[in-house]
Amino acid sequence: ISIILDADAISLVEALPILLAAPKTILIGDPHNPSHDYLPIDAFHEEAVTRSAFFQESILTAALRQGAPTRELWFTSQYGDPAIVTFANERIYNHGIKQFPPPNNEIFKGISIKEVSDKIETIALTAIRHAERHPEKTLGIIAFHQSTCQEIEDAIRARLVAGTPAAAFFTRPNADIRYYVKTPERAVDQFRDTILLCMEAEGAGGLDHKIAVCSTLAKRELRAFITEADLAKIASQKNSLFREWL
């Protein structure tokens, strides 16, 4: 199986060697991107060459026109981080994945877990700082129980100052961009740039599943907060590949 990322930006001719190299190919890209134009190399005076439509049309567009089956994936910058592919290559595929170009060694910053003494207080203060410093980025807060959600909302309201830009951030009328505090079950399809997660010790399978769901809702960043007591409970459970990645 070969996988072509950014298939909307790769011409049919450029993708041909990859298509011939594997019996099955998965294309990942944005079908709404316009057809790309051929651009000469910068600072190189190349003579204009008439190119066929095979260079002007992307492999994704050509595949869709032929009726290739599709699946819709919501965009998140975490999926494009080479650290995820590198981890899977080492722990699952025994270095069987060949990456072009080779991956870099930058630290993955899409998910972070911080040990704190008071999750409610920390999340409330983090949310307010987010509103003050990054009001252009949408925010979602997820806790595993409804009672915890209510505690977080109360903590945020208690610290807001009326009439400030931060207060306006938490009262946006547009449901598509305003912040929320929900359980994972109620946050389905509620995508936000930043997700703050209040982690609580549960069964190993249930915890991993909930964190995985929350990570898919974060377009750019998932920040999880956990107490020392909950961290100790999780550490005593059987480790999983997903938790090892975290």
Side-chain angles (χ1 to χ4, degrees):
I1 298 177
S2 62
I3 301 175
I4 301 179
L5 302 178
D6 300 322
D8 54 290
I10 300 176
S11 69
L12 183 59
V13 173
E14 292 170 318
L16 192 58
I18 303 174
L19 299 178
L20 296 175
K24 183 177 181 179
T25 301
I26 298 175
L27 308 177
I28 300 178
D30 185 354
H32 302 294
N33 276 356
S35 298
H36 60 285
D37 296 325
Y38 174 76
L39 299 176
I41 300 175
D42 292 340
F44 179 75
H45 302 290
E46 185 176 13
E47 295 182 4
V49 178
T50 302
R51 295 184 177 271
S52 69
F54 295 110
F55 281 93
Q56 301 296 331
E57 187 175 53
S58 72
I59 178 61
L60 182 62
T61 301
L64 292 175
R65 191 178 64 252
Q66 294 298 321
T70 62
R71 296 291 185 274
E72 183 176 354
L73 300 175
W74 188 269
F75 170 78
T76 169
S77 59
Q78 298 178 23
Y79 298 156
D81 197 293
I84 295 179
V85 180
T86 301
F87 178 84
N89 199 16
E90 293 176 353
R91 306 303 175 90
I92 301 175
Y93 297 102
N94 194 26
H95 298 280
I97 298 176
K98 306 302 180 183
Q99 294 177 258
F100 303 99
N104 55 40
N105 295 320
E106 294 181 359
I107 298 175
F108 179 69
K109 299 179 180 179
I111 300 177
S112 64
I113 299 179
K114 184 176 182 179
E115 182 183 326
V116 297
S117 58
D118 189 330
K119 294 177 294 186
I120 307 299
E121 174 81 10
T122 303
I123 290 176
L125 293 176
T126 302
I128 293 174
R129 279 197 297 268
H130 176 94
E132 294 171 341
R133 300 175 184 177
H134 306 289
E136 76 284 358
K137 296 180 180 180
T138 54
L139 175 68
I141 302 174
I142 299 178
F144 293 168
H145 301 95
Q146 187 58 41
S147 58
T148 309
C149 291
Q150 189 60 53
E151 288 183 55
I152 294 173
E153 278 202 88
D154 292 342
I156 292 175
R157 295 180 187 278
R159 288 160 180 77
L160 285 178
V161 178
T164 62
F169 176 88
F170 291 100
T171 56
R172 288 174 175 172
N174 189 338
D176 293 329
I177 63 172
R178 71 186 178 203
Y179 103 107
Y180 63 76
V181 184
K182 298 178 180 288
T183 60
E185 296 78 12
R186 294 176 56 238
V188 175
D189 293 336
Q190 298 292 313
F191 303 96
R192 294 295 186 267
D193 292 318
T194 299
I195 294 291
L196 305 182
L197 173 62
C198 183
M199 289 182 61
E200 299 175 77
E202 296 195 353
L207 176 65
D208 291 349
H209 175 70
K210 288 184 177 181
I211 298 176
V213 170
C214 295
S215 68
T216 64
L217 299 177
K219 295 182 183 180
R220 298 180 181 275
E221 180 186 28
L222 173 71
R223 301 180 62 184
F225 301 89
I226 189 170
T227 62
E228 182 180 2
D230 283 332
L231 193 60
K233 293 178 182 178
I234 294 174
S236 65
Q237 298 172 355
K238 182 180 179 181
N239 203 15
S240 66
L241 192 64
F242 179 74
R243 209 173 311 146
E244 189 176 342
W245 156 245
L246 294 180

